[in-house]
Amino acid sequence: VQLQASGGGLVQPGGSLRLSCAASGSIFSINTMKWYRQAPGKQRELVAAISSGNRPNYVESVKDRFTISRDNAKNTVDLQMNNLKPEDTAVYYCNAGIVTMNRALGDYWGQGTQVTVSS
């Protein structure tokens, strides 16, 4: 099982980016899908999560600016980021609890994607 993240880049303050993460491999089901971020010199922070039933949760600092969504048919999770601020600059990671076809539950991470918000 692999998670592949994409969509990072450089954007000016107030701009938007959309991150995507696709899970592939021997997947039976996917539980909660999450986006974390880690800024230089800081601990990794949970930014947003979405349950298998499509219930989202956000860290306070991104509420009303970020939207997490998932497509259960495609095994993907997206993070739409609007009104980006310099403090959103970080490496973003997707994460998911995945049950494989042999019914083993594992915690999987995608590779990080850099988001830089700067003028």
Side-chain angles (χ1 to χ4, degrees):
V1 173
Q2 290 186 333
L3 294 180
Q4 180 71 39
S6 62
L10 172 64
V11 64
Q12 292 186 343
S16 298
L17 281 175
R18 188 176 185 88
L19 305 183
S20 295
C21 179
S24 62
S26 182
I27 297 170
F28 175 74
S29 65
I30 303 178
N31 298 334
T32 299
M33 304 184 84
K34 303 174 184 177
W35 285 97
Y36 287 80
R37 66 186 179 188
Q38 188 166 20
K42 294 188 177 182
Q43 290 188 332
R44 191 169 293 190
E45 171 189 41
L46 177 61
V47 175
I50 186 165
S51 69
S52 57
N54 276 304
R55 294 175 62 181
N57 281 287
Y58 303 93
V59 68
E60 189 66 30
S61 61
V62 308
K63 282 182 179 178
D64 300 322
R65 298 190 298 122
F66 290 10
T67 301
I68 189 170
S69 60
R70 64 188 286 170
D71 185 327
N72 290 331
K74 296 181 179 179
N75 292 333
T76 59
V77 60
D78 290 350
L79 185 68
Q80 176 66 42
M81 305 184 293
N82 298 329
N83 190 22
L84 282 160
K85 303 177 180 181
E87 51 263 42
D88 295 317
T89 295
V91 179
Y92 284 70
Y93 300 89
C94 57
N95 168 265
I98 297 176
V99 179
T100 61
M101 286 297 186
N102 62 5
R103 302 305 189 263
L105 173 63
D107 189 50
Y108 294 89
W109 291 85
Q111 88 289 5
T113 184
Q114 177 71 46
V115 171
T116 302
V117 185
S118 175
S119 55

